[in-house]
Amino acid sequence: MAEVQVPDFRRLAREALENMPKRIGEEAQAFFVQSFVKQGFTDDWFVPWAKRKSEIVLPHKLLNQSLALKNSIRIAQSDWKKTIISAGEGLNYAAIHNEGGTITVKVTEKMRKYFWAMYKKTGNEYFKNLALTKKEQFTISIGKRQFIGNSNFLAEKLTSIIINEIKTAERNLDFK
């Protein structure tokens, strides 16, 4: 009768895949950060962000002036149960940019000073009109510029990574 030595499959799988939750979290975080680079969001397909309506040419890409929103994308939780990526914590404008919508902004003296400064800098009558407006508030429509959310493309990518890691772990099992 021959003695058969059976490997401890649980231990081998645990060792081979111990970094999987961290890897999945990092992949998801990187995917959402790429929305700022690509200037759009990928779910089933890529949807580019709406362009600026203003005639003013700004030197930075959309949602990239301070990089605060992009840098707010964090791994909130990543374990064997689930991975949660958060964004915009402490940034009151994050949700309106991600989902789109309408906001109302009170016209302040600081805004009027800014509009005058921009008028002097550019000579653009648009800023002069804003500085002289009689309105007490502006209603601003902000287009949807999604940077985080459910993505079938990401889900497929993560599934592929998991399957490849399992296959690699399987190939590396030692059956001496």
Side-chain angles (χ1 to χ4, degrees):
M1 185 183 256
E3 185 178 317
V4 177
Q5 188 174 5
V6 178
D8 181 354
F9 289 108
R10 286 184 184 202
R11 180 185 59 79
L12 292 170
R14 189 171 38 254
E15 288 172 4
L17 302 174
E18 68 184 337
N19 291 324
M20 183 60 67
K22 181 180 178 198
R23 172 120 189 262
I24 293 300
E26 289 170 349
E27 285 287 334
Q29 180 185 23
F31 177 82
F32 295 128
V33 167
Q34 280 297 304
S35 294
F36 291 87
V37 175
K38 297 184 304 184
Q39 297 284 279
F41 186 74
T42 305
D43 182 4
D44 288 317
W45 55 83
F46 179 72
V47 178
W49 291 341
K51 302 291 182 209
R52 289 185 182 97
K53 291 181 182 176
S54 173
E55 308 162 3
I56 307 154
V57 178
L58 297 172
H60 56 83
K61 291 181 176 182
L62 289 167
L63 303 184
N64 277 281
Q65 185 171 7
S66 71
L67 299 177
L69 192 54
K70 180 180 177 181
N71 292 337
S72 75
I73 297 174
R74 303 247 187 277
I75 301 169
Q77 177 183 345
S78 191
D79 55 36
W80 288 101
K81 292 183 180 181
K82 64 181 165 183
T83 296
I84 299 173
I85 307 298
S86 68
E89 192 172 316
L91 303 174
N92 59 358
Y93 55 86
I96 194 74
H97 281 298
N98 196 53
E99 299 157 14
T102 304
I103 60 170
T104 304
V105 180
K106 184 180 176 193
V107 177
T108 64
E109 281 306 309
K110 185 175 180 179
M111 289 172 73
R112 291 184 194 281
K113 287 178 184 178
Y114 170 78
F115 296 141
W116 278 120
M118 288 301 292
Y119 172 67
K120 289 175 184 173
K121 181 178 179 179
T122 66
N124 189 331
E125 290 289 319
Y126 173 75
F127 289 113
K128 181 180 178 182
N129 293 336
L130 288 174
L132 295 172
T133 187
K134 300 285 185 221
K135 293 182 180 179
E136 293 182 15
Q137 63 185 23
F138 293 129
T139 300
I140 303 168
S141 178
I142 298 178
K144 180 178 180 177
R145 294 186 176 116
Q146 186 174 7
F147 53 89
I148 194 167
N150 291 330
S151 168
N152 290 325
F153 182 85
L154 176 61
E156 289 174 16
K157 182 178 181 179
L158 296 178
T159 299
S160 175
I161 288 170
I162 292 167
I163 289 169
N164 287 337
E165 288 294 325
I166 291 170
K167 286 180 179 178
T168 300
E170 182 182 51
R171 283 192 299 271
N172 293 335
L173 288 177
D174 187 12
F175 290 107
K176 291 180 183 175

